[in-house]
């Protein structure tokens, strides 16, 4: 297997998009979109992909992987027609299918709806008639709209495995004309349990097709899984993907839970730029976001219980700067490409070192620098110290400012330390369904970051539409007992 370490290859780093063997029309589109100098993964992956080779690339998120597969895909399949005499004909290494009309010729598989939508947006910047020749196939959006786009003659499908396999099982889509397969964030798709669906999808493709495979990590399990998808691939390895980027400054505080909110408020006052705050649970994310909104911060929230329209609105608002803060669970840890995040805060410790790396990978993207701060409970400090040794990174441990006040919380019952630890373990487990692609519970679709109050009234000092109702005693009455099913839903 041919290997290119593009990080240390100066010739690759010096390449310009205008130097690639692509049509004048595509060069013009790239220049118009202000893509001048390719990133290392683009410089390493595009040339062999243009020659028809399979590619297996590992690189951290935020390194420009999307363009590294869109450019050869658009060029090799002739999705752009350049000025007379300048268009490049499709190489003979890609089989030309004899189909009636316009068959699906390219498939891009991704783990999440958000990432799929971002790829579609990037494709639209390079291909003027993108809406006419491509289809987004994901869960959580209108099925009829997606099927209509396919029936109109989409040549490109950008899809998540679950929804695509559903369409295939019902005979609504055929993949026997696919010439190029792109599999992005393969490690994430495997984490989410999509391997059986991925196998069935690949089995439906023609025996001869080109595969461009991308993964943030390539451990033994991922390497074994992708073996059957690629043939003698050119291996692109950009830096070290098993540790945080050197462009991210790592900080940590040993802080009790009742001082986390005050410490976060302190960081927001001291630091500039946008913040991505990670919570372990969906309920915790809502609680943090509500408190920040009440303090006057422009805040939105994204997690597995948000409807697709709410998640899309939240991400769009955060991307364009409408919100300074986005509070999220690990549903946002991979696959969301927001370039301007200045500061990542692990409000709750992640459950594994891999999640730690992917969370803080949301900042310090491309050539930018960033800061990642982790709040570790006293009993969690040893775990973070262990990750520091395993990942071979230096974390700047800081003291919590003495002026930061403790958060006052209602004490319904008295519990011991062991009880608290057991509650936390149950909370971690309850969030596992979200990390493995579990179904989101239904939620109203509105453009505000939080669901609306039933009363429709806005309390002074609260965020409009925050809508967080507190369960408990009302007029001295005991709270109504919840059923086991309701408790399970709320814990997730």
């Amino acid at each position: 297997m041919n290997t290119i370490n593009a990080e240390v290859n100066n010739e690759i780093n010096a390449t310009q998009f205008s130097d690639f063997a692509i049509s004048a029309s595509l060069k013009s589109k790239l220049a118009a979109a202000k893509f001048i100098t390719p990133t290392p993964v683009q410089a390493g992956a595009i040339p062999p992909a243009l020659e028809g080779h399979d590619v297996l690339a590992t690189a951290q998120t935020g390194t420009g992987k999307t363009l590294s597969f869109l450019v050869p895909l658009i060029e090799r399949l002739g999705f752009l027609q350049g000025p007379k005499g300048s268009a490049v004909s499709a190489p003979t290494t890609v089989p030309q299918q004899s189909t009636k009309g316009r068959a699906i010729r390219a498939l891009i598989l991704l783990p999440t709806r958000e990432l799929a939508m971002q790829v579609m947006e990037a494709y639209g910047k390079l291909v003027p008639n993108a809406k006419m020749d491509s289809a987004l196939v994901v869960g959580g959006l209108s099925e009829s709209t997606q099927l209509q786009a396919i029936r109109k003659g989409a040549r490109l499908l950008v899809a998540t495995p679950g929804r695509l396999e559903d369409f295939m099982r019902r005979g609504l889509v055929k993949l026997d004309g696919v010439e190029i397969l792109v599999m992005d964030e393969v490690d994430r798709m495997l984490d989410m349990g999509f391997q059986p669906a991925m196998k069935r999808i690949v089995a439906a493709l023609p025996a001869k097709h080109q595969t461009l495979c991308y993964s943030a990590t390539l451990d033994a399990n991922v390497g074994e899984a992708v073996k059957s998808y690629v043939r003698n691939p050119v291996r692109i390895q950009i830096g070290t993907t098993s540790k945080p980027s050197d462009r991210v400054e790592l900080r940590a505080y040993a802080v009790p839970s009742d001082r986390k909110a005050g410490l976060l408020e302190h960081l927001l006052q001291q630091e500039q730029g946008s913040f991505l705050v990670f919570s372990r649970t969906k309920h915790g994310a809502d609680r943090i976001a509500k408190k920040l909104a009440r303090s006057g911060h422009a805040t939105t929230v994204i997690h597995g219980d948000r409807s697709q329209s709410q998640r899309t609105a939240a991400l769009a608002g955060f991307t364009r700067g409408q919100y300074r803060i986005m509070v999220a669970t690990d549903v946002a840890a991979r696959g969301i490409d927001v370039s301007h995040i200045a500061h990542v805060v692990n409000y709750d410790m992640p459950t594994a070192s891999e999640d730690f790396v992917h969370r803080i990978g949301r900042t310090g993207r491309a050539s930018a620098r960033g800061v990642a701060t982790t709040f570790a409970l006293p009993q969690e400090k040893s775990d973070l110290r262990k990750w520091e040794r395993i990942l071979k990174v230096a974390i700047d441990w800081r003291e919590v400012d003495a002026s930061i006040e403790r958060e006052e919380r209602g004490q319904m019952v008295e519990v011991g330390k062991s009880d608290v630890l057991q509650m936390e373990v149950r909370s971690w487990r309850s969030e596992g369904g979200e990390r493995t692609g579990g179904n989101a519970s239904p939620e109203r679709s509105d453009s505000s970051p939080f669901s609306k109050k039933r009363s429709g009234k806005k309390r002074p000092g609260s965020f409009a539409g925050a809508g967080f109702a507190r369960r408990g005693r009302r007029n001295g009455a005991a709270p109504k007992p919840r059923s086991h099913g309701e408790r399970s839903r709320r814990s997730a």
Side-chain angles (χ1 to χ4, degrees):
M1 181 166 59
N2 302 320
T3 302
I4 298 177
N5 188 332
E7 186 175 57
V8 297
N9 191 321
N10 293 328
E11 292 183 3
I12 287 180
N13 284 333
T15 304
Q16 303 292 303
F17 277 107
S18 58
D19 297 329
F20 290 138
I22 56 179
S23 64
S25 57
L26 183 51
K27 289 180 181 180
S28 175
K29 290 294 182 184
L30 290 166
K34 301 189 184 305
F35 294 122
I36 307 300
T37 303
T39 65
V41 70
Q42 293 163 0
I46 289 175
L50 286 171
E51 294 172 0
H53 297 288
D54 282 8
V55 169
L56 175 57
T58 52
Q60 291 180 335
T61 52
T63 55
K65 289 185 291 182
T66 300
L67 209 60
S68 73
F69 58 73
L70 281 181
V71 168
L73 183 152
I74 293 169
E75 180 65 21
R76 284 176 60 75
L77 299 182
F79 284 1
L80 270 179
Q81 294 298 323
K84 189 174 182 180
S86 65
V88 179
S89 60
T92 56
T93 51
V94 176
Q96 298 299 308
Q97 307 293 328
S98 57
T99 58
K100 294 181 180 180
R102 291 167 58 182
I104 296 169
R105 301 179 60 197
L107 170 63
I108 301 175
L109 278 181
L110 308 118
T112 66
R113 291 169 289 196
E114 287 79 11
L115 185 55
M117 293 165 71
Q118 290 171 15
V119 169
M120 285 288 284
E121 182 180 357
Y123 180 70
K125 291 180 180 178
L126 299 177
V127 179
N129 61 335
K131 292 184 178 180
M132 299 298 295
D133 74 349
S134 62
L136 181 68
V137 177
V138 298
L141 296 179
S142 169
E143 182 178 296
S144 61
T145 301
Q146 297 174 35
L147 291 173
Q148 186 179 25
I150 294 172
R151 290 165 183 155
K152 283 183 176 179
R155 296 180 293 177
L156 167 66
L157 283 192
V158 181
T160 51
R163 173 57 67 88
L164 178 57
E165 188 186 28
D166 176 53
F167 281 4
M168 291 169 57
R169 186 171 56 248
R170 293 154 58 191
L172 300 174
V173 63
K174 293 184 178 180
L175 303 177
D176 54 359
V178 170
E179 303 166 44
I180 296 180
L181 168 67
V182 177
M183 306 178 77
D184 194 14
E185 300 280 356
V186 173
D187 53 344
R188 178 60 171 163
M189 287 195 281
L190 296 176
D191 286 346
M192 295 173 68
F194 284 134
Q195 186 170 7
M198 292 160 64
K199 285 184 176 179
R200 286 188 282 269
I201 291 169
V202 173
L205 272 55
K208 190 175 182 181
H209 64 268
Q210 182 182 13
T211 301
L212 309 178
C213 195
Y214 295 79
S215 180
T217 60
L218 195 66
D219 57 25
N221 292 333
V222 177
E224 184 65 26
V226 301
K227 244 196 253 182
S228 59
Y229 303 142
V230 293
R231 301 180 185 86
N232 191 28
V234 174
R235 179 80 167 87
I236 310 297
Q237 187 172 348
I238 308 301
T240 302
T241 60
S242 60
K243 61 181 293 186
S245 168
D246 293 336
R247 295 183 300 274
V248 180
E249 179 186 352
L250 303 179
R251 302 173 185 172
Y253 293 86
V255 54
S257 59
D258 60 358
R259 299 187 74 185
K260 284 184 176 182
L263 179 56
L264 178 57
E265 183 70 37
H266 176 77
L267 294 178
L268 289 167
Q269 294 174 2
Q270 296 295 317
E271 304 284 342
Q272 301 293 319
S274 59
F275 275 63
L276 177 57
V277 180
F278 281 104
S279 167
R280 182 178 294 122
T281 67
K282 292 173 270 191
H283 172 73
D286 285 338
R287 187 180 64 82
I288 296 166
K290 174 186 176 183
K291 187 172 184 63
L292 290 170
R294 282 181 170 176
S295 298
H297 297 287
T299 305
T300 190
V301 63
I302 183 170
H303 54 62
D305 273 354
R306 307 295 288 169
S307 68
Q308 184 57 44
S309 61
Q310 290 171 325
R311 291 166 69 172
T312 301
L315 183 59
F318 184 62
T319 302
R320 64 174 177 262
Q322 178 183 350
Y323 305 109
R324 184 191 180 197
I325 308 165
M326 183 162 75
V327 185
T329 54
D330 282 305
V331 71
R334 306 191 197 201
I336 291 181
D337 187 8
V338 180
S339 60
H340 64 74
I341 298 173
H343 204 133
V344 166
V345 175
N346 290 315
Y347 194 93
D348 296 321
M349 278 263 289
T351 55
S353 60
E354 183 185 56
D355 294 326
F356 177 76
V357 172
H358 283 289
R359 282 186 182 187
I360 64 182
R362 299 306 93 200
T363 187
R365 297 167 76 81
S367 60
R369 304 195 67 82
V371 177
T373 300
T374 300
F375 295 174
L377 295 173
Q379 64 267 29
E380 296 172 332
K381 185 175 180 179
S382 60
D383 290 333
L384 189 54
R385 288 287 194 188
K386 182 174 68 175
W387 294 351
E388 190 176 6
R389 294 191 298 270
I390 292 173
L391 298 173
K392 298 179 181 179
V393 295
I395 297 178
D396 179 12
W397 285 85
R398 300 188 172 193
E399 296 293 328
V400 180
D401 194 293
S403 64
I404 294 175
E405 298 180 355
R406 296 182 182 274
E407 182 181 10
E408 294 184 7
R409 300 179 183 177
Q411 297 182 354
M412 299 297 293
V413 293
E414 293 290 334
V415 295
K417 184 175 180 180
S418 60
D419 296 321
V420 171
L421 293 175
Q422 291 176 7
M423 291 165 61
E424 289 182 346
V425 169
R426 287 196 296 271
S427 177
W428 297 340
R429 289 174 178 170
S430 70
E431 188 71 1
E434 177 179 305
R435 297 179 67 244
T436 56
N439 293 331
S441 58
E443 216 174 310
R444 286 192 303 271
S445 298
D446 56 51
S447 58
S448 68
F450 309 117
S451 56
K452 296 181 180 178
K453 290 182 177 294
R454 292 183 179 179
S455 64
K457 295 180 180 179
K458 176 184 174 183
R459 292 187 296 177
S462 67
F463 185 83
F468 287 88
R470 177 180 298 173
R471 293 187 64 94
R473 298 179 182 271
R474 182 175 299 173
N475 298 326
K480 180 182 177 180
R482 296 192 296 268
S483 67
H484 173 76
E486 184 181 355
R487 289 196 299 270
S488 299
R489 288 193 300 273
R490 290 177 62 84
S491 68

